[in-house]
Amino acid sequence: MTTKYIFFTGGVLSSVGKGLTAAAIGRLLKECGFRVGVQKLDPYLNVDPGTMSPYQHGEVFVLDDGSETDLDLGHYERFIDVRLSKVCNVTSGQVYAEVIERERRGDYLGGTIQVIPHITNEIKKRIMMVSKATDAEIVLVEIGGTVGDIESLPFLEAIRQMRNDIGRENTAYIHLTWLPYISATGELKTKPTQHSVRELRSIGIMTDMIVARSDHPVEESLREKIALFCDVDKKAVIPLVTSQVLYEVPLILEDAGVAGILMKRLNLEKRQEPNWCEWRWLVEEVRKPKPIVNIALVGKYVELHDAYISVREALKHAALHRGVEVNISWVHSTDLEKGLNLDILEGVDGIVVPGGFGSRGVEGKIMAANYARKNKVPYLGLCLGMQAMVIEFARAALGDEKANSSEFDHATSAPVIDLMPDQHNVTNMGGTMRLGLYPCQLQSGTIAAKAYGVNEVEERHRHRFEVNNSYRGILEEHGMVMSGISPDKRLVEIAEIKDHPYMLGTQFHPEFLSRLNRPHPLFTAFMEAVCERAGVSKEV
Ligand code: GLN
């Protein structure tokens, strides 16, 4: 079939869940029997978010092929249960870099290089690459930012042109807006929505559907008003009231008939009746009151929960399957260093130390690992969290308080974590880490091998440093088990500590592969240990 494209634009303001809505609609279409691919177009000039601070951008989501992408790709993968590729996240930086490189090579034969058509053509080329790369029949394309931003104009122009290029029956436009609530009069207002639709129209894009986000129920009369003023069919004005359960969004959109409207619009027939049984059951489970387990997440970007979004989701997935609710205490690692919030660690059933870069707050993470080891509190270390666990263990094993990662102390007497040999000559910071999927062999009888139940796994990586092999022997002698090793035996991928209910660290990021209906085995095993400590008995 001809590839169909659905474009998502945002109006009024950002951060109202455009990525999540696109992900949920992707799930709807998958349930109708179609193969779905998703792409995010980001207007900023960075080539990818890999070099951006998590404070600016939230988490960097890593794909199988090692591309460092926007966190919305995490929503897409989790909701649609697909594995995406590097063509699924395009930035203005990539587009301009490519066009300028070609101009320098002389590819344009003396032409004047302009936003239209050169930049817009490059954007369209990249949009068209998704169907092949992800084997998709329907491609969802989300334009980052809000209509009216200067920097997203080339993207909007490109998607406008696509309706002409490939035809009306192959393209649909969905505009996501926000209805502000005026508490003085107790009403929702549609004016900003009207303005953003008008702005979109002035660029030449006629939206086919409006998803109106709101914190309050949207009355029929308001839908009618939006339909009338924005020139959209009333059925295609979809109210989306904020839900406490993210995974409920596909169900809300299904009940509003979104799939049917899109099928009709794109001249498609459903290939199968959607089966939401499992999804509905999971959402009901989320809602049910359950025993609570407390977990401390010790990081340095904890003010911004989006910086650890995949970790949070993976914990929730594992908790749901264990029939418990997870309450996360966000602990700033620098606070621990100052002697603050140590009491939080005392009250939790498990500790997670996620990934990170740079020395700020590292000692706090090492303190958390020390607390977990000494008090036998379940501990899960992810990338830097694993390195913190190894440093802490080495300090005790070697009797050397100076043991460290050479990332944080160049002159350390014991660089138990060191730069990987192939990283020594790297000078460029962007896209040069050990990135993406690598195999890992599990050592039988270990916690990791039991959790996974297989001999070899593939997991996603993003790091420059690793366990220093010169210290492997002595660490093992003292009770550290290298339970996951790269097939060439050069890299420690998983380490765990003997005689501890669950103290395990991974050099990779298992959180990226966790799904609502398929929690990651290492998170499941961690949750089991957490429940044991919390005294939550297993349901039979
Ligand atoms: N900074 C560490 C490294 O580069 C850990 C990276 C991470 O946690 N993703 O190895």
Side-chain angles (χ1 to χ4, degrees):
M1 91 182 209
T2 324
T3 311
K4 307 280 180 177
Y5 290 87
I6 303 177
F7 299 106
F8 291 80
T9 52
V12 183
L13 40 86
S14 61
S15 304
V16 290
K18 183 151 42 85
L20 211 110
T21 308
I25 291 182
R27 182 73 203 197
L28 254 50
L29 300 169
K30 183 176 175 177
E31 289 293 331
C32 293
F34 295 93
R35 296 193 305 277
V36 179
V38 204
Q39 184 181 48
K40 171 93 192 269
L41 304 178
D42 275 314
Y44 53 74
L45 286 170
N46 302 60
V47 169
D48 62 43
T51 51
M52 279 157 116
S53 157
Y55 282 131
Q56 303 251 330
H57 191 269
E59 164 186 280
V60 173
F61 191 80
V62 181
L63 304 180
D64 286 349
D65 60 18
S67 40
E68 299 172 273
T69 70
D70 187 79
L71 58 78
D72 275 333
L73 276 86
H75 290 313
Y76 307 156
E77 285 205 348
R78 281 188 286 272
F79 273 78
I80 312 175
D81 199 4
V82 281
R83 308 275 280 246
L84 298 172
S85 104
K86 67 172 186 295
V87 302
C88 299
N89 195 188
V90 172
T91 68
S92 293
Q94 285 169 21
V95 170
Y96 278 88
E98 167 91 22
V99 169
I100 291 169
E101 194 187 315
R102 267 202 260 136
E103 185 275 334
R104 291 290 84 183
R105 274 205 312 257
D107 287 7
Y108 296 109
L109 302 173
T112 306
I113 312 307
Q114 292 175 302
V115 172
I116 308 171
H118 299 94
I119 295 295
T120 45
N121 282 351
E122 180 61 30
I123 294 169
K124 287 195 285 181
K125 187 182 99 194
R126 283 166 186 257
I127 293 174
M128 307 285 235
M129 280 156 80
V130 178
S131 60
K132 190 151 173 245
T134 60
D135 188 29
E137 299 164 300
I138 305 180
V139 176
L140 276 54
V141 182
E142 179 195 344
I143 322 293
T146 311
V147 169
D149 298 346
I150 293 175
E151 58 263 34
S152 58
L153 275 173
F155 289 119
L156 295 172
E157 170 61 13
I159 64 166
R160 181 196 70 77
Q161 291 176 12
M162 280 193 67
R163 176 162 276 182
N164 266 330
D165 294 351
I166 59 174
R168 200 180 130 74
E169 71 286 7
N170 298 321
T171 47
Y173 298 80
I174 300 179
H175 190 54
L176 190 101
T177 72
W178 176 254
L179 305 177
Y181 180 75
I182 306 298
S183 53
T185 50
E187 54 177 353
L188 289 168
K189 305 302 279 182
T190 66
K191 191 72 80 190
T193 295
Q194 296 174 37
H195 278 296
S196 77
V197 169
R198 189 175 306 157
E199 181 82 32
L200 201 57
R201 221 184 286 147
S202 73
I203 304 166
I205 295 174
M206 314 293 159
T207 193
D208 298 295
M209 184 181 281
I210 293 174
V211 177
R213 287 273 298 104
S214 141
D215 275 342
H216 298 265
V218 181
E219 283 174 18
E220 272 311 288
S221 58
L222 224 63
R223 280 180 81 184
E224 274 161 28
K225 191 170 172 186
I226 295 172
L228 179 70
F229 281 93
C230 299
D231 204 13
V232 170
D233 195 47
K234 189 183 142 202
K235 280 204 220 70
V237 177
I238 313 291
L240 184 55
V241 180
T242 308
S243 165
Q244 287 315 310
V245 184
L246 290 188
Y247 293 97
E248 196 187 10
V249 175
L251 301 177
I252 299 174
L253 296 174
E254 173 72 15
D255 294 343
V258 169
I261 297 170
L262 289 171
M263 291 289 112
K264 201 161 151 214
R265 179 63 205 72
L266 294 169
N267 212 358
L268 291 171
E269 291 284 341
K270 277 186 197 173
R271 294 211 183 116
Q272 63 184 42
E273 259 325 295
N275 179 359
W276 292 104
C277 289
E278 191 191 16
W279 201 278
R280 276 192 206 280
W281 179 81
L282 287 167
V283 171
E284 271 164 33
E285 285 300 301
V286 177
R287 283 248 159 77
K288 273 190 195 155
K290 291 179 283 295
I292 292 178
V293 294
N294 293 298
I295 289 177
L297 192 144
V298 182
K300 70 171 181 180
Y301 309 110
V302 288
E303 308 88 322
L304 184 75
H305 296 184
D306 268 5
Y308 303 111
I309 190 164
S310 292
V311 178
R312 189 188 66 193
E313 291 306 300
L315 285 171
K316 282 202 214 160
H317 299 163
L320 184 66
H321 281 258
R322 183 54 178 73
V324 293
E325 186 164 330
V326 59
N327 174 35
I328 302 179
S329 302
W330 302 85
V331 180
H332 213 301
S333 50
T334 50
D335 283 347
L336 296 180
E337 290 168 12
K338 292 180 210 144
L340 304 171
N341 289 337
L342 286 164
D343 52 321
I344 298 184
L345 296 188
E346 282 159 23
V348 296
D349 312 306
I351 297 175
V352 176
V353 179
F357 295 84
S359 57
R360 183 173 66 91
V362 164
E363 287 303 322
K365 294 178 181 178
I366 295 171
M367 284 169 76
N370 179 271
Y371 183 86
R373 186 171 63 81
K374 292 210 168 128
N375 296 285
K376 300 221 184 290
V377 180
Y379 175 98
L380 179 61
L382 308 166
C383 208
L384 181 58
M386 177 255 212
Q387 297 174 356
M389 167 184 138
V390 172
I391 296 168
E392 191 283 322
F393 189 82
R395 286 182 184 173
L398 307 172
D400 182 353
E401 273 309 301
K402 290 260 179 293
N404 212 330
S405 163
S406 50
E407 179 180 6
F408 314 125
D409 179 4
H410 287 298
T412 170
S413 47
V416 288
I417 304 290
D418 202 6
L419 208 53
M420 282 183 280
D422 34 8
Q423 287 285 333
H424 278 293
N425 299 322
V426 170
T427 49
N428 254 352
M429 286 296 119
T432 53
M433 281 184 259
R434 179 166 179 252
L435 290 165
L437 222 50
Y438 285 94
C440 161
Q441 286 173 348
L442 302 164
Q443 311 305 302
S444 60
T446 58
I447 292 182
K450 281 186 210 144
Y452 277 110
V454 291
N455 299 329
E456 190 172 310
V457 289
E458 286 195 308
E459 294 279 1
R460 294 177 177 176
H461 295 68
R462 181 170 185 252
H463 63 115
R464 285 185 209 285
F465 293 80
E466 59 156 331
V467 173
N468 185 338
N469 287 332
S470 334
Y471 291 91
R472 241 155 96 168
I474 184 146
L475 294 174
E476 281 170 334
E477 273 165 36
H478 282 82
M480 179 166 269
V481 181
M482 307 309 178
S483 50
I485 308 281
S486 61
D488 64 5
K489 314 264 184 277
R490 281 179 51 227
L491 303 172
V492 175
E493 300 281 26
I494 312 175
E496 54 194 53
I497 286 171
K498 263 194 209 148
D499 303 326
H500 190 287
Y502 189 97
M503 186 149 190
L504 180 145
T506 61
Q507 189 56 82
F508 48 81
H509 291 272
E511 67 270 24
F512 293 144
L513 294 180
S514 180
R515 301 281 190 270
L516 181 62
N517 60 347
R518 215 169 46 248
H520 192 284
L522 295 180
F523 278 84
T524 308
F526 169 67
M527 199 53 71
E528 193 51 55
V530 166
C531 287
E532 199 135 304
R533 186 172 174 93
V536 181
S537 58
K538 203 164 182 153
E539 274 177 43
V540 270

